[in-house]
Amino acid sequence: MFAKRLIQKATQQLHLPHHSPQHNLSSVTAADLDFQVAVHYGIPSTASIISFDPIQRLLAIGTLDGRIKVIGGDNIEGLLISQKQLPYKYLEFLVNQGYLVSISNDNDIQVWNLESRCIMCSLQWESNITAFSVINGSYFMYIGDENGLLSVLKYEPEDEDILLLPYHISADSLAESAGSSFPDNPTIVGVLPQPCSYGNRVLIAYDSGLIILWDVVEARVVMVRGDKVLDLKDGNVNSHSAVSTSHTDDIIQNMEEKEISASCWASSDGSILAVGYIDGDILFWKTSSSSSIKVDQGGYSSNNVLRLQLSSAEKRLPVVVLHWSSNNNSQNDADGHLYIYGGDEIGSDEVVTVLSLVWSPGMETLRCTGRSDLHLSGSFADMILSPSAGEVRSSHNAALFVLTSPGRLNYYDHNSLSGIANQDDKRVSISSAEYPMVVPTVDPVMTATKLITLSASENSSKNSFEMLTHLRKCSSLNPVDGIKWPMTGGISKQLVDAEDRVGRLYVAGYEDGSVRIWDATYPVLSLLCVLPGEVKGLEVTGSSSSVLKLDFCSLTCCLAVGNKYGLVRLYCFNGSLDESSFHFITELKSEAYSLTKGEGLNFRAIFGLLQSPIQALQFALEGAKLAVGFECGRVALIDMSSLSVSFLSDCLSEPSSPVVAIAWEALRQTGDRIGSPKISEAKILGNTAEQSLFALTKDAKIYVIDGGKGSRISPKPLHVDLAVISMYVIDGNITSSEKLTQMQEAVMDAAGEDEPSQDTSSGEIDQPKTDSRSQISSEDPVLLLCCKDALLLYHMKSVVKGKNRPIRKMKLATACCWTTTFKKFEKLCGIVLLYQTGDIEVRALSDLELVYKTSLMSILSWNFKANMDRTMSSTENGEISLASGREVAFISLLTGENNFRIPESLPCLHDKVVAAAAEAAFNFSLDQKKRKGTAPGILGGIVKGFKGGKVNNATDLVANSNSNLSHLEQIFKRNPFPEPVLFTKDDQIIVDEIDIDDIHIDEPVSVPSTSAPKVQKKKGSEREQLFDGEATNGKPRLRTREEILATYRKDASSVAGQARDKLLERQEKLERISRNTEELRNGAEDFASLANELVKEMERRKWWQI
């Protein structure tokens, strides 16, 4: 009893006070830590919605957990993370503006800046948002909600704010304007700006089936559809087998019973609207291409609508998504392809249906000429069309992206989709290409990783940095198989700094035995080489087995790969060997083979010693030795210089237990003797001429092996009754009281105890103050053993003698599954622990105290998955690589470390050069269009010449450029349904405060060709207006005094004020016109100068250069 108390008293004083100078050099605090996502690749498994910028050629994918993935070209990917981990229900680019708008399930509207990768502003909407759309080429947005209210928002880049404009339309106002009755409590389910309308018209769809086409400029209803009993003609849709229809007489349906679930424009000019319904029907509504004063309520006539059904079954799936693209080979703007998800028979396979549709010349009949069912690789999430680079019209030559769960993106190019046309009597099978992942994790399956930091310091060889430079030059010799990714957006930044001597490699092993190596110096990874498992010209059994372990020596530039069959492959990347001999070594023989020149990329040897999976690999002695741990419990040591086996140990434990970790350490000889141990410590330590090897087996035993002979230094291993994970040998970073350590060991030997320690659970630590004068820095290393439920810190003497005497024990609250240590100022300072709950802890190595706590969910929005720890790796300076599903991420820990050089090295997600070129091309195209001298492809040609085929894609975008939508600015600043003027008994007029934008003075509104024609005034109309519309016979009517006062009585001051305001407004308009004229003149001069330079450049070229 006395011995136990003495031991407890001694061990309580083994902790270093925080004021110790030695401790501060290797301590870590919460202020030193800042978990940041430096690199992210892959599509999240929770991907649910997709958007596309046709000019910048960027793809954005929203998730169910508040993340947005932005994908461009040249391996450029970006991850935007919102603090609100909620699903996104709407996601749209402000095309070519560098902004992305997202709306989450809690109706929070967020605007993201793609350059700074952060939220610029947000607006919380009070009601539930049920429809959203952006006017292409502008900052204007339509919001439809559950109350049937259509609102207009505008993002102001200068003020970094979202403005709610006065322009809003309620269902009651529309009903009154259309002279029709609306259902009670209608909900807007679709808002679609009409193509080729210059932003002047918008279609509003309600859940009840009602469709309204609204003229924004004239503030009136142009068309009403779906509000009456309708005659549907199925016979107008003709198909042999592609679409199931019934050729019967007209079918009477009540439109009030049909609920809209999807809609899209089905013609280039906006004359046909395709609408999907809950019952699986698809109706094609004809809209008027020219406006008229009278509201078109053509819902009674069957000539305005045609019905299409994918199946003749009575019960069908709702139509969820509709998209349409035009046919280049047709003169009809409504001919093209319709992409449908849903509408098929309940219980059928989940597919995306593509129909090739052709209209008759009179638009009376619709014929389906081909059908293809695109079978999905997972649950459907979303789909979107993307125009081909160089096209002027958005719906021409469109490719299809289909997003499925979990995180799979399939691409169907235009050539494949166009093959379904003219395919009567059969269905066409279309092949797709899956998103080419920069870092594959699933196909093939990733099984092991290694994140490596290459440093060329003054005292070390520069081979590693030269190797990285060499691999960069040779990377073109190892191209990546697969299709060319159609996205080309973003700008990669490759920094060149002569003083930057730090590189980084990311190595991944796969289930098929192959190994891939990436240059990870900057956030944009580039593939350097792919190492196959097989050897050309030599058949080696087990070479294609799954890779289990990887290790790399930066001094010798050698890579070791261990697989499940028990083979160890060795590669050399130093570039010094132009020709190498390949060695195949087994336990019994060694054979040499000649290999062709690999330009520095050399396959040196394969070791096939045992048919047992490799569980541990560790280089030692500056790459001169390689230790291998097998699942059968044996350890081998390979001499790298002679490519021979130094020793192969017997099975360490009985029964055999896998070797899970290996560590090296030089044990120092000392003359001190503590107590009277049975085995002399001087005898144990005196025979270690080389470094000793520490092997940890799965049954929680640590064996100390002579690094030169392979024999055990101590016959008795250290054994703990815990599930072990890893171990680390720490050199001189733990400061302890040498006297108390000696006292503890002496008392232990006298008492015969085997497991005394300070047993401290997390968060329950009470340490007495210790005199700092008694603290000295121990030169002897310590060993940290990481178990599933505890952390144990041992003095090396206890490990060598096989005595379970931890100087520090920390119990863990939950099960730990992965650990790693990291350095600060070149000294080990902390350990990172990942728990099976997804929580992450950082503890100080000096006392194992908790310093920082976070989680995978808060950093990456990831949940912990089984076997995730197998594909995790780290570097000494606090960089961790992780893989989950189809995602790969690099995390940096330390605040002061910025080895990825963020933000200067981050790729830019918005190309300002392309944006300026597109805007200039828009303006130039409009100017040429006015002069009627423009070649059709001039817009695509101008923008395509700036960067790799990045071009404008839409006539609508040309029409809807910022300069062409200036009239909407004034329109949206006032309510289209102003409150009526009220009168009081005292004949005083009550009016709202007059807004200068509400005054119209001698400035006609510019209306496009689709607007209503001017109505010629009849004779006598001015006289009728003068006399309040009275039918006159030429004789004036005597009016009473009250009528005259009611008509003309005004306050003199208000009249003068209004006149003054009108004069000021007129002056402002004249100044604005003058400025616009000057800008147009400058723009014309710039284009003229550009044209002259192009002419001179072409004149200098020879005929064979054109």
Side-chain angles (χ1 to χ4, degrees):
M1 182 65 66
F2 174 76
K4 289 185 178 180
R5 291 181 179 178
L6 184 59
I7 293 168
Q8 293 177 357
K9 183 177 180 180
T11 54
Q12 285 179 353
Q13 301 182 29
L14 291 177
H15 310 295
L16 180 67
H18 290 283
H19 56 72
S20 173
Q22 291 87 351
H23 178 79
N24 291 334
L25 293 177
S26 59
S27 64
V28 60
T29 63
D32 299 325
L33 301 173
D34 183 19
F35 283 75
Q36 295 292 333
V37 181
V39 177
H40 182 276
Y41 277 102
I43 301 175
S45 59
T46 56
S48 60
I49 189 171
I50 190 169
S51 183
F52 173 68
D53 189 328
I55 298 179
Q56 292 288 326
R57 310 297 295 177
L58 292 173
L59 201 66
I61 300 175
T63 67
L64 299 175
D65 48 31
R67 293 180 293 166
I68 300 176
K69 183 70 181 191
V70 182
I71 302 175
D74 300 328
N75 295 349
I76 295 176
E77 296 186 11
L79 184 66
L80 312 177
I81 303 178
S82 175
Q83 293 182 353
K84 296 183 177 180
Q85 296 181 355
L86 295 175
Y88 291 110
K89 55 182 178 180
Y90 298 105
L91 187 67
E92 292 286 345
F93 280 98
L94 296 181
V95 176
N96 201 38
Q97 309 297 333
Y99 297 98
L100 185 66
V101 183
S102 63
I103 301 179
S104 56
N105 271 7
D106 65 345
N107 303 299
D108 187 23
I109 306 171
Q110 300 173 340
V111 178
W112 298 82
N113 188 324
L114 295 180
E115 290 188 58
S116 59
R117 304 190 182 198
C118 65
I119 297 177
M120 302 304 295
C121 60
S122 62
L123 177 64
Q124 183 65 50
W125 202 256
E126 296 181 357
S127 57
N128 184 30
I129 298 175
T130 54
F132 176 72
S133 180
V134 175
I135 300 179
N136 281 333
S138 73
Y139 294 102
F140 295 111
M141 296 166 274
Y142 288 117
I143 297 289
D145 62 19
E146 60 183 352
N147 301 320
L149 181 66
L150 180 68
S151 305
V152 179
L153 303 179
K154 182 185 179 184
Y155 174 67
E156 287 287 354
E158 297 181 357
D159 299 334
E160 298 180 356
D161 193 15
I162 302 176
L163 302 181
L164 175 59
L165 301 181
Y167 197 96
H168 59 271
I169 305 172
S170 64
D172 295 337
S173 301
L174 283 179
E176 182 179 352
S177 177
S180 177
S181 60
F182 281 20
D184 296 334
N185 303 321
T187 297
I188 297 177
V189 294
V191 179
L192 301 175
Q194 189 178 31
C196 302
S197 68
Y198 300 88
N200 294 341
R201 289 185 175 181
V202 59
L203 184 132
I204 309 170
Y206 295 89
D207 59 345
S208 60
L210 188 64
I211 302 171
I212 302 293
L213 184 60
W214 174 258
D215 193 301
V216 175
V217 176
E218 299 179 1
R220 66 180 183 87
V221 175
V222 177
M223 180 205 73
V224 179
R225 293 286 187 268
D227 62 332
K228 303 294 181 182
V229 176
L230 187 65
D231 295 346
L232 298 179
K233 287 191 174 181
D234 287 345
N236 287 341
V237 182
N238 300 325
S239 175
H240 300 285
S241 63
V243 179
S244 176
T245 59
S246 57
H247 299 278
T248 61
D249 295 334
D250 298 348
I251 302 174
I252 306 300
Q253 286 207 0
N254 190 348
M255 292 304 298
E256 294 182 356
E257 298 177 357
K258 295 183 73 66
E259 184 177 347
I260 294 177
S261 56
S263 60
C264 72
W265 291 108
S267 63
S268 300
D269 58 358
S271 59
I272 301 294
L273 178 71
V275 181
Y277 294 87
I278 294 293
D279 59 3
D281 281 349
I282 299 175
L283 300 186
F284 291 89
W285 294 94
K286 299 179 184 178
T287 63
S288 177
S289 58
S290 62
S291 62
S292 60
I293 298 299
K294 185 179 179 180
V295 176
D296 182 6
Q297 293 180 336
Y300 294 101
S301 174
S302 61
N303 295 326
N304 291 318
V305 62
L306 297 174
R307 180 171 69 176
L308 182 146
Q309 292 180 336
L310 297 182
S311 173
S312 59
E314 182 179 356
K315 293 183 178 181
R316 287 163 288 138
L317 296 168
V319 178
V320 180
V321 181
L322 283 175
H323 286 297
W324 178 87
S325 65
S326 63
N327 186 358
N328 280 348
N329 300 324
S330 176
Q331 300 297 325
N332 193 333
D333 287 333
D335 292 349
H337 296 90
L338 187 67
Y339 305 86
I340 310 161
Y341 175 70
D344 217 332
E345 182 180 0
I346 294 179
S348 59
D349 294 337
E350 191 173 8
V351 297
V352 171
T353 302
V354 185
L355 303 180
S356 178
L357 303 178
V358 177
W359 288 82
S360 63
M363 304 293 289
E364 296 297 329
T365 61
L366 177 63
R367 186 166 60 94
C368 180
T369 62
R371 168 174 177 167
S372 178
D373 290 337
L374 310 180
H375 293 271
L376 306 179
S377 55
S379 299
F380 177 85
D382 198 7
M383 65 178 176
I384 195 170
L385 296 177
S386 66
S388 300
E391 293 300 319
V392 177
R393 307 188 71 177
S394 61
S395 57
H396 284 198
N397 291 339
L400 176 68
F401 287 99
V402 179
L403 180 65
T404 57
S405 178
R408 304 191 69 168
L409 183 65
N410 289 84
Y411 171 71
Y412 301 83
D413 61 11
H414 167 71
N415 295 330
S416 299
L417 295 173
S418 60
I420 69 172
N422 301 322
Q423 296 289 339
D424 297 338
D425 302 327
K426 66 178 181 178
R427 298 189 181 186
V428 184
S429 177
I430 300 178
S431 60
S432 67
E434 192 171 352
Y435 162 66
M437 299 179 63
V438 177
V439 182
T441 59
V442 177
D443 187 20
V445 177
M446 179 184 290
T447 55
T449 63
K450 187 72 175 179
L451 185 61
I452 305 160
T453 298
L454 308 177
S455 179
S457 60
E458 295 180 358
N459 298 327
S460 64
S461 172
K462 296 184 179 180
N463 288 341
S464 59
F465 190 79
E466 294 173 355
M467 178 267 299
L468 180 58
T469 305
H470 177 76
L471 284 180
R472 286 171 178 170
K473 295 179 181 179
C474 299
S475 59
S476 59
L477 301 177
N478 300 282
V480 182
D481 297 332
I483 67 166
K484 182 180 180 181
W485 184 236
M487 296 303 151
T488 57
I491 305 175
S492 181
K493 299 178 182 178
Q494 294 293 339
L495 303 181
V496 179
D497 189 352
E499 298 180 357
D500 182 14
R501 307 299 295 173
V502 177
R504 193 177 296 102
L505 292 178
Y506 183 61
V507 184
Y510 291 89
E511 196 173 44
D512 60 358
S514 64
V515 174
R516 287 171 169 82
I517 303 177
W518 288 268
D519 179 3
T521 304
Y522 301 107
V524 178
L525 271 62
S526 60
L527 184 65
L528 296 176
C529 60
V530 179
L531 307 176
E534 299 86 358
V535 182
K536 291 184 180 180
L538 180 63
E539 184 177 352
V540 179
T541 305
S543 59
S544 299
S545 296
S546 175
V547 175
L548 297 182
K549 290 295 177 180
L550 299 165
D551 198 26
F552 185 84
C553 179
S554 60
L555 296 178
T556 60
C557 301
C558 289
L559 173 67
V561 180
N563 69 7
K564 191 173 183 179
Y565 192 78
L567 300 181
V568 177
R569 307 200 307 262
L570 298 177
Y571 299 87
C572 182
F573 306 111
N574 55 18
S576 61
L577 300 177
D578 294 331
E579 186 172 354
S580 174
S581 59
F582 164 75
H583 297 266
F584 181 53
I585 301 100
T586 64
E587 190 175 4
L588 301 177
K589 62 180 180 178
S590 175
E591 299 176 348
Y593 301 89
S594 297
L595 294 179
T596 58
K597 291 185 178 182
E599 297 184 359
L601 200 61
N602 298 305
F603 191 6
R604 296 196 62 188
I606 291 182
F607 285 82
L609 304 179
L610 299 172
Q611 291 186 13
S612 177
I614 305 296
Q615 296 295 322
L617 285 176
Q618 182 70 51
F619 279 104
L621 299 177
E622 298 182 348
K625 302 288 185 179
L626 175 65
V628 184
F630 294 90
E631 189 178 76
C632 64
R634 301 178 68 180
V635 176
L637 186 65
I638 297 174
D639 189 319
M640 294 297 296
S641 59
S642 61
L643 294 179
S644 60
V645 180
S646 298
F647 67 79
L648 179 61
S649 72
D650 296 331
C651 187
L652 296 179
S653 61
E654 294 294 341
S656 64
S657 179
V659 177
V660 297
I662 292 176
W664 291 85
E665 180 60 31
L667 298 180
R668 302 173 180 84
Q669 184 174 356
T670 176
D672 297 335
R673 294 177 59 90
I674 304 175
S676 300
K678 296 179 181 179
I679 301 176
S680 173
E681 179 185 352
K683 181 179 180 181
I684 293 177
L685 299 181
N687 296 328
T688 57
E690 298 186 23
Q691 283 196 339
S692 298
L693 187 150
F694 294 79
L696 173 66
T697 57
K698 193 174 182 179
D699 58 358
K701 294 180 180 179
I702 301 178
Y703 296 87
V704 185
I705 302 174
D706 189 328
K709 301 178 181 179
S711 60
R712 297 185 192 177
I713 294 179
S714 174
K716 180 182 178 182
L718 186 151
H719 179 243
V720 295
D721 191 16
L722 295 170
V724 294
I725 300 174
S726 59
M727 68 174 178
Y728 305 94
V729 176
I730 305 171
D731 288 323
N733 278 294
I734 302 298
T735 306
S736 61
S737 175
E738 187 70 21
K739 292 183 179 180
L740 293 176
T741 303
Q742 295 177 3
M743 182 189 302
Q744 178 194 24
E745 294 185 357
V747 173
M748 295 304 305
D749 291 335
E753 300 286 345
D754 196 34
E755 290 190 10
S757 66
Q758 181 181 355
D759 189 353
T760 312
S761 59
S762 179
E764 299 179 359
I765 302 173
D766 184 16
Q767 300 190 48
K769 294 183 178 180
T770 308
D771 186 3
S772 61
R773 290 177 296 180
S774 66
Q775 302 293 331
I776 60 174
S777 179
S778 174
E779 295 180 357
D780 291 335
V782 295
L783 186 141
L784 176 63
L785 180 61
C786 302
C787 303
K788 185 177 179 180
D789 301 317
L791 299 178
L792 304 173
L793 197 62
Y794 291 91
H795 198 284
M796 195 58 68
K797 298 176 183 179
S798 299
V799 178
V800 172
K801 291 186 289 186
K803 295 184 177 181
N804 186 15
R805 300 175 180 175
I807 58 177
R808 180 68 166 165
K809 181 177 180 180
M810 177 67 67
K811 289 185 178 180
L812 304 178
T814 56
C816 179
C817 61
W818 183 83
T819 63
T820 186
T821 58
F822 62 93
K823 292 182 177 181
K824 187 182 73 171
F825 303 128
E826 300 299 325
K827 298 191 72 175
L828 284 174
C829 62
I831 182 170
V832 181
L833 297 92
L834 173 64
Y835 295 92
Q836 294 180 2
T837 59
D839 293 331
I840 298 175
E841 287 184 352
V842 179
R843 294 180 176 271
L845 282 178
S846 58
D847 52 11
L848 303 182
E849 293 280 1
L850 178 64
V851 176
Y852 191 86
K853 187 174 183 179
T854 182
S855 66
L856 289 175
M857 181 59 65
S858 60
I859 300 173
L860 286 164
S861 297
W862 287 6
N863 290 314
F864 179 82
K865 296 182 180 179
N867 300 325
M868 180 186 291
D869 53 299
R870 296 182 181 178
T871 54
M872 294 180 64
S873 61
S874 63
T875 64
E876 292 181 344
N877 52 2
E879 297 162 353
I880 301 175
S881 67
L882 310 91
S884 176
R886 297 175 179 271
E887 299 178 73
V888 173
F890 294 175
I891 298 175
S892 61
L893 308 184
L894 297 176
T895 304
E897 296 288 342
N898 190 14
N899 292 328
F900 286 98
R901 302 183 66 175
I902 296 174
E904 58 266 22
S905 64
L906 278 177
C908 184
L909 299 179
H910 178 66
D911 194 335
K912 293 183 178 180
V913 176
V914 172
E919 185 66 23
F922 294 154
N923 297 332
F924 183 73
S925 178
L926 289 175
D927 183 64
Q928 293 295 321
K929 186 176 180 181
K930 293 177 181 178
R931 300 179 184 180
K932 298 181 180 181
T934 303
I938 189 169
L939 179 60
I942 290 177
V943 183
K944 186 174 181 179
F946 277 88
K947 181 179 178 181
K950 291 187 178 181
V951 296
N952 160 49
N953 71 312
T955 301
D956 225 19
L957 291 178
V958 177
N960 292 358
S961 62
N962 284 328
S963 59
N964 204 45
L965 295 174
S966 57
H967 65 287
L968 295 179
E969 183 79 25
Q970 299 299 324
I971 293 174
F972 288 145
K973 284 186 176 180
R974 58 177 180 270
N975 191 342
F977 300 101
E979 296 294 333
V981 179
L982 302 178
F983 294 88
T984 65
K985 295 182 179 179
D986 298 332
D987 298 332
Q988 298 293 329
I989 302 177
I990 302 176
V991 297
D992 293 334
E993 183 180 354
I994 298 177
D995 192 339
I996 190 172
D997 296 321
D998 296 331
I999 304 174
H1000 302 275
I1001 311 170
D1002 301 332
E1003 185 176 352
V1005 178
S1006 59
V1007 182
S1009 59
T1010 57
S1011 62
K1014 295 183 179 179
V1015 181
Q1016 298 293 332
K1017 294 183 179 180
K1018 298 180 180 180
K1019 292 183 179 180
S1021 60
E1022 294 182 0
R1023 185 178 184 84
E1024 292 178 0
Q1025 292 178 4
L1026 180 62
F1027 292 101
D1028 296 335
E1030 292 278 352
T1032 65
N1033 55 3
K1035 295 181 180 181
R1037 182 180 65 84
L1038 182 63
R1039 291 187 291 179
T1040 63
R1041 176 178 178 274
E1042 288 75 12
E1043 291 177 341
I1044 296 174
L1045 288 175
T1047 304
Y1048 297 104
R1049 183 175 182 179
K1050 293 183 179 180
D1051 186 14
S1053 60
S1054 64
V1055 172
Q1058 291 181 3
R1060 183 176 61 255
D1061 293 341
K1062 290 180 179 180
L1063 290 175
L1064 293 174
E1065 183 184 5
R1066 180 183 294 274
Q1067 181 180 357
E1068 292 178 359
K1069 290 183 177 180
L1070 290 175
E1071 293 176 353
R1072 185 166 61 251
I1073 292 173
S1074 177
R1075 289 194 301 269
N1076 293 339
T1077 303
E1078 184 65 25
E1079 292 177 359
L1080 290 174
R1081 183 184 297 110
N1082 294 335
E1085 292 176 355
D1086 292 340
F1087 279 116
S1089 176
L1090 177 61
N1092 291 333
E1093 292 180 2
L1094 290 175
V1095 169
K1096 294 179 181 180
E1097 179 65 22
M1098 296 301 294
E1099 288 177 351
R1100 287 194 295 267
R1101 292 187 179 183
K1102 302 300 181 180
W1103 62 270
W1104 61 82
Q1105 296 177 333
I1106 299 177

